[in-house]
Amino acid sequence: MPLVTMDAMESWREVREAMRGFALSLPEAYEDHPWGESVVKVNKKIFVFLGVEEPTDKWSPNVGVKLPESNGHALSLDGAKPSGYGLGRAGWVTIPLTGPLPETEVLLDWVEESYRAVAPKRLVAALDASSPGDVPG
């Protein structure tokens, strides 16, 4: 798996925005801001944690996704860890955006996997019928 190393303070914004934009393109997905953080939900359930807009002393750029199938792969990334508050036991992984990352396409696949894990079956069927997840490579 090729890792992409970039200028950490700027590139994470681009990766985060790509993940956010892709998540919002999925059927009936919408952005919300509980706890002052950005999340993307479907059917009132979070499928991507995007964190806050600007890093602070207590928060560095990361994303959280539910990966019932790929969590082992995601956890192999430097700094990745099971998500807190007991979410890790349900397959949630927190991935830092400031270290080496897999190609953006892999991250978008993980966003889609997370969506599929929480979305109602009818929306997963709509996704399969339309295939908006096909990212030109």
Side-chain angles (χ1 to χ4, degrees):
M1 169 179 73
L3 295 178
V4 180
T5 306
M6 303 176 239
D7 175 7
M9 283 323 288
E10 278 311 307
S11 63
W12 72 264
R13 295 175 198 278
E14 294 170 20
V15 171
R16 180 183 184 272
E17 188 54 33
M19 294 177 78
R20 178 183 166 277
F22 177 75
L24 290 172
S25 77
L26 297 170
E28 295 185 26
Y30 63 96
E31 192 166 13
D32 197 4
H33 297 89
W35 323 289
E37 297 187 19
S38 293
V39 299
V40 183
K41 296 180 175 181
V42 61
N43 200 36
K44 299 182 182 177
K45 293 181 179 179
I46 297 171
F47 69 97
V48 180
F49 288 92
L50 293 166
V52 296
E53 296 291 327
E54 293 298 324
T56 67
D57 291 342
K58 294 181 180 179
W59 185 87
S60 62
N62 63 58
V63 296
V65 283
K66 184 172 186 173
L67 301 175
E69 294 158 26
S70 304
N71 64 355
H73 179 196
L75 288 169
S76 72
L77 296 176
D78 283 346
K81 60 184 186 277
S83 298
Y85 305 104
L87 293 171
R89 288 191 296 275
W92 284 88
V93 179
T94 299
I95 302 162
L97 294 179
T98 53
L101 291 169
E103 295 192 19
T104 303
E105 186 173 329
V106 172
L107 296 171
L108 299 184
D109 286 347
W110 290 346
V111 168
E112 184 174 328
E113 181 179 336
S114 190
Y115 175 88
R116 290 174 177 279
V118 302
K121 287 185 172 107
R122 68 179 175 80
L123 293 179
V124 172
L127 178 62
D128 289 338
S130 66
S131 297
D134 289 298
V135 177

